[in-house]
Amino acid sequence: MTYPAHGDDELSFLTHKGNLVRFAARFGPDRDAPGRPGRLARTATLGLDWTVLQYRIAPGDPQAHSALEREAAAAVALERRYGHERFGEVFTRIVGYDLEAPEPFILYRISDGEPLAAHSGALGVEDQQQVAAQLTLAVRLLEAAGLVHRAIGPDTVRWDGRHVRLAEPYAALRAGEPREGFGVAPWASPEQREGTGDADPRDDLWSVAQLMYSLLAGRPDRGMGPPADLADFRGLAALADSGAFAPRAAGRPAPTELMRLLNVTDPLAVSVRGPDPLSRGRADYDAQLARKRAQLGLDRPVHPRPQEYMPAARSRWFNRRTPARPSAPPASPVPPARAASLPPGPEAATAERLCPHCLLPVAYDPTRLVTIDPKGDRIPLDLSREHRPAHLHDALRTAFQLCPYADEDNLHELPVPYLLNGRPLSIALVGSSGVGKTHLLAAMLGEVEQGGLEPYGLKCLPLNPDTHRTFLRERVQSLQQGRELGRTGQQTFARFADGLLVTGRGATRPVVFFDLAGEDLAHDGDVTRFLMGVDAFIFVLDPLRALRLASLDPVRALNGLRRRDLGDEAFTTVLNRIPRNGGPYIAAPAAVAVNKSDLVRVEPAVDQWLGRALPPAYRADEVHDESRDVHAFVARHATPAWLRPFDDCARCTLHFVAATGGQARDDRFPHGVRPRRVLAPLLSIFAMCGLLPGVDHGEVGI
């Protein structure tokens, strides 16, 4: 795979509007960029005489790449929001960016003026007032954009005699994100330096206050709180009286309050902004969710049933009982009707369950045990004479049981732990070929292997140690080493890719993951028959196929892809095949994962989710907010066909995720693999299926 050239004679990049442009370019010498590890700065003359500033990073530095992504998203958000306003000049203005180039870069206009460090103790009273007013305005504008700059200081703010201009937002965080330790005293607040709590716009007010003190006093303070001689400077009265020098953000004023004290007009209070482009989509999401609840009877008062029909932990959603399964396999195997009228909730362990491949009831049978040697041959295993509990447990941990319904063409077996633990949970990843299902599953299980589910009260073990080890070696480790995974091969019989034993609330439950080729899922054949018994689905949406965004056109061209207004054909095939038991909705819980979201990271609706880590505890209200934003974003930029999983499934959450964090070139990821929020869809599935401790599964996805 290649990418548009950007050598010394041509530079290609995306503008803040997402348009691809190309310029003849000449470059100046490289120089270090203070405070920006891993970056080099140089001038670039575009066309005949447009000179801009370029910051770029070397390939293979994931941390620098992530920081550049975050900076580009912040700069684009500020340009889109304020670039057409006169007061937008308080920010250094972005020209363009390319985060997928061999050496990712971002371009800015060159700012006039000199750093404020050159004016310490030399500004007149009127200039001092202008600087204080404009810096406070800048913090107010950042607050309205949901950003905290974090790098306001004497070397990063310029003054040209009329205007201040903040440096590029290379250290910016979204307000509310956990603080990262950054900056030095006195310019960075104590909390920011320590990296404690959450980023707050009032962190920047501390920086403004300390900067103004140094300008008037001609020297910096220690940065621990209000300067000892603060009362000696009448020009700092408003900052002092407002509490801007308070060592903790909670003691400082809001930017609007400080503007009032400084007699500065708030332009956001008097200017008329355009409507939120996602407001209609969010309203549609709310309306559709209300319709679902009404049709499912969730908006009516609860009428308790007899105790044996309603376990105490279940919500009204789960009141209907699952029909009892036969105590023994039928003489003439006929697939039983799957109880799909309601999503699965937490259940006690049962001696019987369905084979996830052929959908027939299977019980543990010690006479059908086998082991599988390295060549794949099945070797009978007789444990009838083994009476040592520890040895028996260890042998069963790696053993398989042949399915009694398997024929010569479709021989298959089940890991014994699948038959000896709680109610199994089968999860299928759905999407056409090339949407990234295999990468997403590998990224998910890589996070699980590193303990990613433990903060949520879940413990995980392999369903079968040997097959899990193979999956880790061939899939997870290959991905983590930066290799692109090959496409999933077509099958004549659906087999799960890997499995886990998950212990959370109640009994330990086997969880198996199906990752089938897109070609298999897009055809209504024998391979997809197993879908009728799948417990939950993760629909993997590809922005390259779905979204009408100009910024994706170059990537589409490189990959030979076109947008599909008719949606994902694998979605359609699967949704059409799953039984609905006479109701309007599919009962199996579902999650929509907008994979490759890093390609649209600069979109504010995407960045506010993809740019933050998953919280350490599952919060149904936060998942609702993300689902609402994802639905609105997809509805604005794609046809309704792409939201069909949400339309058809009674319970469905939506998530922005990135399995790899970048595009592959020549079968490798040159900037490393950086998964983002890949556990979010899986956590929602677990929550809806009653696996997450402390989470009311009846409140998720509906």
Side-chain angles (χ1 to χ4, degrees), residues 465-481:
D466 294 331
T467 56
H468 183 65
R469 192 178 303 112
T470 299
F471 185 88
L472 291 180
R473 182 179 64 254
E474 296 181 354
R475 296 294 186 181
V476 177
Q477 291 179 5
S478 292
L479 181 63
Q480 292 179 345
Q481 292 166 2

Side-chain angles (χ1 to χ4, degrees), residues 444-583:
M444 279 182 180
L445 294 184
E447 296 281 305
V448 172
E449 190 70 14
Q450 297 176 66
L453 293 179
E454 292 188 7
Y456 304 92
L458 298 176
K459 294 289 185 181
C460 299
L461 291 172
L463 185 60
N464 178 273
D466 294 331
T467 56
H468 183 65
R469 192 178 303 112
T470 299
F471 185 88
L472 291 180
R473 182 179 64 254
E474 296 181 354
R475 296 294 186 181
V476 177
Q477 291 179 5
S478 292
L479 181 63
Q480 292 179 345
Q481 292 166 2
R483 291 195 288 268
E484 185 178 25
L485 304 180
R487 293 191 175 185
T488 305
Q490 290 186 259
Q491 304 178 30
T492 58
F493 185 75
R495 298 179 183 273
F496 56 80
D498 196 13
L500 300 170
L501 287 172
V502 180
T503 303
R505 185 170 66 186
T508 296
R509 296 179 63 180
V511 178
V512 293
F513 299 91
F514 286 90
D515 174 25
L516 270 67
E519 294 85 354
D520 288 333
L521 290 171
H523 296 91
D524 212 357
D526 291 341
V527 178
T528 55
R529 183 175 293 117
F530 87 103
L531 293 169
M532 293 183 290
V534 169
D535 296 305
F537 296 89
I538 298 176
F539 293 90
V540 184
L541 187 152
D542 184 358
L544 295 174
R545 293 167 167 85
L547 303 183
R548 295 185 294 258
L549 286 171
S551 62
L552 295 176
D553 289 341
V555 189
R556 276 190 273 261
L558 288 170
N559 289 275
L561 295 174
R562 295 183 178 180
R563 265 195 322 103
R564 299 179 182 176
D565 287 342
L566 297 180
D568 190 310
E569 55 187 352
F571 290 8
T572 302
T573 300
V574 170
L575 292 169
N576 287 346
R577 186 148 193 175
I578 304 171
R580 309 189 186 206
N581 285 11

Side-chain angles (χ1 to χ4, degrees), residues 27 46 122 291 307-308 327 425 444 476 599 619 668:
F27 298 101
L46 308 180
R291 285 195 298 272
Q307 184 63 34
E308 66 269 18
S327 59
L425 172 63
M444 279 182 180
V476 177
L599 292 173
R619 295 181 51 188
R668 295 195 67 84

Side-chain angles (χ1 to χ4, degrees), residues 386 388-398:
E386 180 57 74
R388 294 168 297 180
H391 287 250
L392 182 62
H393 176 271
D394 191 60
L396 292 176
R397 187 174 65 93
T398 59

